[in-house]
Amino acid sequence: MRRIISFKNSPPSFLSYAAVGGYEEGRGPLGEKFDFLDPTDRFGMKTWEKAEGEMGRLALNLALNKNNISPSNLDALFAGDLENQCVASSNGLYSFGIPYIGLYSACSTLTEGLLLLSSLIFSQGISTGAVVTTSHNSAAERQFRNPIEYGGQRTPTAQWTATASGAFILSKGGKVKIIEAMIGKIVDGLTKDASNMGAAMARAAFDTVYNYFSLSNISPRDIDLIVTGDLGKVGSLIFEELMSKELPNINARHLDCGNLLYNEDNADIHSGASGCGCSASVLASHFLPELERGTYKNILFMSTGALMSPSSVMQGHTILGITPLIRITTDD
Amino acid sequence: MRRIISFKNSPPSFLSYAAVGGYEEGRGPLGEKFDFLDPTDRFGMKTWEKAEGEMGRLALNLALNKNNISPSNLDALFAGDLENQCVASSNGLYSFGIPYIGLYSACSTLTEGLLLLSSLIFSQGISTGAVVTTSHNSAAERQFRNPIEYGGQRTPTAQWTATASGAFILSKGGKVKIIEAMIGKIVDGLTKDASNMGAAMARAAFDTVYNYFSLSNISPRDIDLIVTGDLGKVGSLIFEELMSKELPNINARHLDCGNLLYNEDNADIHSGASGCGCSASVLASHFLPELERGTYKNILFMSTGALMSPSSVMQGHTILGITPLIRITTDD
């Protein structure tokens, strides 16, 4: 079984990107770095579901405009979200007229999309393309748990689905490159607790990192940061405990997007951020600018996903985790 | 904008495949060609949702066993279905331990998956991989419309979601090759009628075929068949009417999987078959064997998808269509 996919000969790179967020994202530590914030969370739309689609549309528009790229120059658009049948992505993005690939890999969709788009650009099947992922707290709450009007009490392990989107345009020739990728294996999270997604995903994240370093010829000390998507506080603890037995020197370089998006003292957030928009908006608002600035040169970036539905949990399935990986670098 | 992706230099090919179906599929004209049929539609499981996952598992197992392939020889597994959050695929397939890419492109997921897997094999990112898609009538009915126990009356334009799955293993070097692909654009179906998916998808199918022949250097007479996924009777009429104005000589070579899966006189079926398992099971049970037998040499294969959810329809969105394309050939 071949695991690590190399793009080193002719790597795709980030041509442009943008982050969009709502109220909680705006008052978080990365708020000022977002390209657009709507403190009403509504984005001018009448329903939360349409607001989520509009966020994706805005994020892609901002990414296009930053670098004066026309939608007609994009050969493919990879997108996904958490809404049933991923309608936020299709309804929000269809007006661009870009050939479309719909994805579902829960909150790991961003990294899955970057991996696939990178493969198509590397093989010269296409020249330029984009990945957009979104999540909306109010759309997710009423679909997965309860409508927010219900005021349900949340457990301390629960995470806050980010109202956020990130859009990324890739092509060859840029400074910040994707040079390797690894498709994630589905790993049983060994829990049925839909209010503890971090725990359900931690083992999948560990599986990917552990296998990457086992199979790769680079050592952990060649990497500046290992970034997970949305393990949150609880999931990060479990991930780091698993890592401490196998690759203990990694933990000091581990950051989780779910722990970076909101302020520590924000009581509503509980165990941190989650959602397809979490790792997307943190990558676009924070890590890519820092890579361009030279703060980091080599990052393993791994959005984390929990593959479940309300029905599958009610029918007794454990929650499955998945963690695809990309290596982002500014090295030549 | 680059549209047609060529794999001609070193094309991926079908190494193995299998089709699994339920009661209605068994008594249809292709029934004898299926690899496995369960007339109870239950596949030994207690819920329809788990039955759907089990169908995908069975289909992949059958495809592996036919050619004596071990799951550990597969570098990637692309999968998707219609259940919320695509849990049939993740729960049904995770036990194989194959690196996993989750897709959602409604009933067009099979062709999207074959396109992506072909790209990864072509670029040598991976060597061998599989695509599996599923749908289950009873799981789809209670999720998208009403539980079957309700006995709701269906309109004549409604289609019957196939209880079926197809699994396909691809690698280089075989006889039946995928030599071109085109990612579909999302096209507004201009209807809000969730009981007329054929109409919603027909314009997207036309858009893809029309653009393929406009941009390709092959002529319609080089193609033996143009196969659409699940336009059904109503959608096929609209598709052929649109085609008759632009490429009239195509219609005689148009077949739709949704019109092939069930008997014409089966009153329950109404406008034909649909679902991610429809084009998958018809490709595996009928078209690939006929290509191997030499009946056809060149097929354009296009699963058709309707991008909508019950919520999006209730919130007033029109239904969007999408149609990715692959060209399958036995020519050298």
Side-chain angles (χ1 to χ4, degrees):
Chain A
M1 188 182 291
R2 200 183 299 185
R3 294 299 305 274
I4 297 174
I5 301 171
S6 173
F7 309 124
K8 278 176 192 162
N9 294 344
S10 181
S13 58
F14 290 89
L15 201 62
S16 192
Y17 45 88
V20 166
Y23 171 70
E24 290 291 358
E25 295 67 33
R27 66 188 190 124
L30 304 179
E32 291 189 353
K33 299 178 172 186
F34 273 64
D35 296 276
F36 184 90
L37 293 164
D38 180 349
T40 73
D41 283 0
R42 292 202 170 268
F43 296 86
M45 306 304 275
K46 281 187 179 173
T47 70
W48 301 125
E49 288 74 18
K50 290 188 182 178
E52 183 172 343
E54 179 64 10
M55 271 198 301
R57 209 184 64 80
L58 270 169
L60 181 55
N61 247 334
L62 287 160
L64 288 164
N65 288 339
K66 268 189 190 179
N67 241 322
N68 205 17
I69 303 165
S70 155
S72 65
N73 289 331
L74 299 193
D75 304 320
L77 172 55
F78 289 70
D81 60 273
L82 299 176
E83 287 186 23
N84 292 343
Q85 288 74 52
C86 304
V87 286
S89 301
S90 50
N91 284 327
L93 299 169
Y94 88 93
S95 62
F96 289 103
I98 306 167
Y100 184 87
I101 296 279
L103 305 175
Y104 184 78
S105 193
C107 306
S108 75
T109 302
L110 174 67
T111 303
E112 183 189 83
L114 291 170
L115 179 159
L116 292 171
L117 176 57
S118 294
S119 297
L120 260 77
I121 291 174
F122 174 74
S123 70
Q124 307 195 32
I126 66 169
S127 162
T128 307
V131 183
V132 178
T133 64
T134 58
S135 53
H136 194 296
N137 183 274
S138 304
E141 283 303 308
R142 68 177 174 184
Q143 180 181 282
F144 287 106
R145 285 162 290 267
N146 300 296
I148 47 173
E149 295 85 346
Y150 177 76
Q153 187 78 11
R154 299 167 69 239
T155 68
T157 58
Q159 291 174 246
W160 184 270
T161 305
T163 299
S165 175
F168 305 85
I169 300 172
L170 266 60
S171 192
K172 288 187 183 175
K175 182 183 173 187
V176 182
K177 302 176 281 280
I178 298 176
I179 57 163
E180 280 183 332
M182 194 163 93
I183 305 173
K185 280 191 189 184
I186 302 180
V187 177
D188 193 333
L190 302 177
T191 172
K192 296 179 183 180
D193 181 359
S195 292
N196 194 352
M197 293 294 179
M201 300 187 290
R203 294 179 69 241
F206 168 73
D207 182 80
T208 294
V209 178
Y210 179 73
N211 278 294
Y212 175 78
F213 282 114
S214 303
L215 299 168
S216 165
N217 52 15
I218 72 160
S219 104
R221 65 175 157 268
D222 299 326
I223 297 291
D224 298 318
L225 281 179
I226 294 186
V227 180
T228 48
D230 55 354
L231 297 179
K233 293 175 193 170
V234 175
S236 291
L237 280 175
I238 299 170
F239 172 75
E240 292 180 7
E241 189 176 323
L242 292 165
M243 292 299 292
S244 68
K245 294 171 187 162
E246 302 290 345
L247 292 164
N249 51 346
I250 290 284
N251 282 338
R253 280 172 265 176
H254 171 231
L255 287 177
D256 183 74
C257 298
N259 292 335
L260 296 173
L261 191 56
Y262 303 124
N263 290 315
E264 278 274 341
D265 59 356
N266 185 337
D268 289 335
I269 301 306
H270 296 81
S271 185
S274 68
C276 299
C278 171
S279 63
S281 63
V282 174
L283 180 63
S285 67
H286 179 63
F287 288 114
L288 289 177
E290 294 298 333
L291 279 153
E292 288 196 352
R293 204 169 286 133
T295 314
Y296 311 118
K297 288 189 167 183
N298 248 305
I299 289 182
L300 293 188
F301 186 82
M302 296 167 288
S303 308
T304 41
L307 300 169
M308 49 72 73
S309 76
S311 300
S312 76
V313 172
M314 284 192 284
Q315 292 179 1
H317 265 295
T318 53
I319 299 169
L320 306 174
I322 189 158
T323 305
L325 171 152
I326 54 172
R327 179 148 78 99
I328 309 175
T329 185
T330 54
D331 286 342
D332 287 328
Chain B
M1 187 183 291
R2 201 183 298 185
R3 293 299 304 273
I4 297 174
I5 301 171
S6 173
F7 309 124
K8 280 175 190 162
N9 295 344
S10 182
S13 58
F14 290 89
L15 201 61
S16 191
Y17 46 87
V20 166
Y23 171 70
E24 291 290 359
E25 295 67 33
R27 67 189 190 123
L30 304 178
E32 290 189 354
K33 300 178 171 185
F34 273 63
D35 297 275
F36 184 90
L37 292 164
D38 181 349
T40 73
D41 283 358
R42 293 204 168 268
F43 296 87
M45 307 303 276
K46 282 187 179 171
T47 69
W48 300 125
E49 289 74 19
K50 289 187 182 179
E52 182 172 344
E54 179 64 10
M55 271 199 301
R57 209 184 66 79
L58 270 170
L60 181 55
N61 246 334
L62 287 160
L64 289 164
N65 288 340
K66 269 189 191 179
N67 240 322
N68 206 18
I69 303 165
S70 156
S72 65
N73 289 333
L74 300 193
D75 304 320
L77 173 54
F78 290 70
D81 60 271
L82 298 176
E83 287 186 23
N84 292 343
Q85 288 73 55
C86 304
V87 287
S89 301
S90 51
N91 284 327
L93 298 169
Y94 88 93
S95 61
F96 289 102
I98 306 167
Y100 184 87
I101 295 279
L103 304 176
Y104 184 78
S105 192
C107 306
S108 76
T109 300
L110 173 67
T111 303
E112 183 189 82
L114 291 170
L115 180 159
L116 292 171
L117 176 57
S118 294
S119 297
L120 260 77
I121 291 174
F122 174 74
S123 70
Q124 308 196 33
I126 66 170
S127 163
T128 307
V131 183
V132 179
T133 63
T134 58
S135 53
H136 195 296
N137 183 274
S138 304
E141 283 303 308
R142 69 177 172 185
Q143 179 181 281
F144 287 106
R145 285 161 290 266
N146 300 297
I148 46 173
E149 295 85 344
Y150 177 77
Q153 187 79 9
R154 299 167 70 239
T155 67
T157 57
Q159 291 173 245
W160 184 270
T161 305
T163 298
S165 175
F168 305 85
I169 300 173
L170 266 59
S171 193
K172 288 186 182 176
K175 180 183 173 188
V176 182
K177 301 176 282 280
I178 297 176
I179 56 162
E180 281 183 331
M182 194 164 93
I183 305 173
K185 280 191 188 183
I186 303 180
V187 176
D188 193 333
L190 302 178
T191 172
K192 296 179 182 182
D193 182 359
S195 291
N196 193 351
M197 293 295 180
M201 300 186 292
R203 295 179 68 240
F206 168 72
D207 182 78
T208 294
V209 179
Y210 179 73
N211 278 294
Y212 175 78
F213 282 114
S214 303
L215 298 167
S216 165
N217 51 15
I218 70 160
S219 102
R221 65 175 157 268
D222 299 326
I223 297 292
D224 298 319
L225 281 181
I226 293 185
V227 180
T228 48
D230 54 355
L231 297 179
K233 293 175 194 169
V234 174
S236 291
L237 279 176
I238 299 171
F239 172 76
E240 292 180 8
E241 188 176 324
L242 291 167
M243 293 298 293
S244 68
K245 294 170 188 162
E246 303 289 344
L247 292 164
N249 51 345
I250 291 284
N251 281 338
R253 281 172 264 174
H254 173 230
L255 288 177
D256 183 74
C257 298
N259 292 334
L260 297 172
L261 192 55
Y262 303 124
N263 289 315
E264 277 274 341
D265 60 355
N266 185 337
D268 288 336
I269 300 307
H270 296 80
S271 186
S274 68
C276 299
C278 170
S279 63
S281 64
V282 174
L283 180 64
S285 67
H286 178 64
F287 288 113
L288 289 177
E290 294 298 334
L291 278 154
E292 289 196 351
R293 204 169 285 135
T295 316
Y296 311 117
K297 288 189 165 182
N298 247 307
I299 288 182
L300 293 188
F301 186 81
M302 297 167 286
S303 308
T304 40
L307 300 169
M308 50 71 72
S309 76
S311 300
S312 76
V313 171
M314 283 192 284
Q315 292 179 2
H317 266 295
T318 53
I319 299 169
L320 307 175
I322 190 159
T323 306
L325 171 153
I326 54 173
R327 179 148 77 100
I328 309 175
T329 184
T330 54
D331 287 340
D332 285 327

